[in-house]
């Protein structure tokens, strides 16, 4: 697969074929490929926990039950801005309403939104849950390394005909996830990920998010900047 196709064709998949398991060798190949991701001084700070079978089901059952009981859990780190502001708020809303709108979920339909959000904890029916952790004493740079590794996992999965959805949603239930996986206390959950074969024709999988143009986030300079910093 061409690199551009792998990157551009990746999208968060939110409906997986439940009855199509993923071979362990395939998962190992994906992780071996992703392990070529760069990291500062090649320290490779990522740790991966792969849940299949009864281990997967236990995480799904426990997290889904917490979600349905109205337990929002507690995150160990802020993934999102504490105070939302533009332009991020608008982009977030566009994505959220775009997804719910596609599914026919109206604004204010909280029960339907809760059910759809709850699909996170069912791993969107994926047979494999992948969980990424990092040792607590690692610094920001290592989180950056892990981000590159996680994107590499998503791209390497595509080379195997597999798709993914990265999921910060599990961070609220980090205590449940880490307990059921046996993650040592000196490690912290970064995020989860559904991994499996996309369910063909599932409407939710037709959701395509937009992107801002390059000029909106890039400044080209071919001369030193002498004055006050300029906004975009
Ligand atoms: C670290 C990370 C965590 C995410 N967490 C969730 C999540 O919990 N649930 C979900 O449905 N999507 C989650 N997403 C997917 C984003 O919503 C998605 O990447 C974004 O809307 C862009 O869409 P695309 O992935 O289809 O290109 C997450 C993405 C990233 C990178």
């Amino acid at each position: 697969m061409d690199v551009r196709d792998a990157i551009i064709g990746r999208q968060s998949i939110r409906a997986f074929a439940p009855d199509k398991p993923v071979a362990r060798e395939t998962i190992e190949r994906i992780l071996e490929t992703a392990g070529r991701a760069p990291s500062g001084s090649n320290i490779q700070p990522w740790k991966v926990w792969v849940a299949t079978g009864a281990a997967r089901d236990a995480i799904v059952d426990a997290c889904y039950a917490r979600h349905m009981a109205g337990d929002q859990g507690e995150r160990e780190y802020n993934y999102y801005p504490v105070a939302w502001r533009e332009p991020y708020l608008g982009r977030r809303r566009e994505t959220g309403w775009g997804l719910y709108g596609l599914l026919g979920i109206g604004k204010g339909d909280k029960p339907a939104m809760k059910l759809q959000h709850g699909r996170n904890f069912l791993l969107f029916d994926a047979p494999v849950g992948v969980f990424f952790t990092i040792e607590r004493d690692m610094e920001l740079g290592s989180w950056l390394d892990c981000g590159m590794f996680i994107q590499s996992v998503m791209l390497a999965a595509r080379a195997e005909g597999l798709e993914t959805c990265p999921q910060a949603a599990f961070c609220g239930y980090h205590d449940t996830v880490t307990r059921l996986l046996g993650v040592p206390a000196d490690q912290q959950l970064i995020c989860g990920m559904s991994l499996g074969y996309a369910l063909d024709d599932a409407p939710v999988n037709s959701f395509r998010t937009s992107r801002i143009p390059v000029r909106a986030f890039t400044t080209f300079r071919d001369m030193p900047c002498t004055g006050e910093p300029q906004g975009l």
Side-chain angles (χ1 to χ4, degrees):
M1 187 185 279
D2 175 71
V3 179
R4 286 186 78 247
D5 291 344
I7 294 173
I8 294 170
R10 185 211 57 78
Q11 65 185 95
S12 293
I13 288 296
R14 297 187 178 88
F16 292 86
D19 47 2
K20 279 177 88 175
V22 184
R24 171 145 175 186
E25 308 81 71
T26 309
I27 302 172
E28 283 178 359
R29 210 160 42 235
I30 291 168
L31 295 174
E32 192 178 349
T33 304
R36 295 303 306 179
S39 56
S41 298
N42 198 26
I43 64 171
Q44 303 161 70
W46 43 80
K47 303 205 181 300
V48 183
W49 304 77
V50 180
T52 55
R56 173 228 180 260
D57 293 348
I59 293 170
V60 160
D61 291 348
C63 292
Y64 190 70
R66 285 183 70 175
H67 172 73
M68 292 312 284
D71 170 4
Q72 303 210 331
E74 206 169 315
R75 289 169 185 252
E76 287 196 287
Y77 75 95
N78 285 324
Y79 181 67
Y80 291 109
V82 176
W84 280 97
R85 62 175 171 83
E86 295 300 344
Y88 309 110
L89 183 61
R91 291 179 196 157
R92 180 196 193 199
R93 285 188 174 140
E94 179 192 318
T95 305
W97 293 126
L99 181 66
Y100 286 140
L102 178 87
L103 297 172
I105 300 173
K107 292 182 186 178
D109 187 351
K110 288 193 175 158
M113 283 162 58
K114 182 174 178 176
L115 277 180
Q116 176 56 33
H117 184 62
R119 302 230 348 109
N120 269 286
F121 308 111
L122 303 175
L123 285 165
F124 301 111
D125 298 329
V128 185
V130 186
F131 297 89
F132 302 91
T133 63
I134 187 169
E135 282 148 340
R136 294 176 187 280
D137 58 353
M138 301 306 275
E139 301 291 347
L140 266 182
S142 292
W143 284 71
L144 193 67
D145 298 338
C146 287
M148 294 186 218
F149 173 75
I150 292 167
Q151 163 80 334
S152 299
V153 169
M154 294 192 274
L155 297 181
R158 302 207 67 228
E160 304 282 349
L162 288 156
E163 299 292 348
T164 55
C165 185
Q167 292 172 270
F170 278 104
C171 292
Y173 304 143
H174 64 91
D175 46 346
T176 297
V177 173
T178 54
R179 176 176 55 80
L180 290 169
L181 287 170
V183 176
D186 67 349
Q187 290 180 35
Q188 180 175 355
L189 183 66
I190 297 175
C191 74
M193 182 183 288
S194 296
L195 172 72
Y197 294 93
L199 188 65
D200 294 333
D201 304 331
V204 70
N205 289 343
S206 67
F207 182 58
R208 242 352 213 154
T209 48
S210 68
R211 291 295 188 271
I212 56 173
V214 171
R215 66 181 147 70
F217 60 84
T218 309
T219 304
F220 290 96
R221 292 209 196 284
D222 57 7
M223 293 286 278
C225 182
T226 51
E228 289 295 306
Q230 301 290 309
L232 285 173

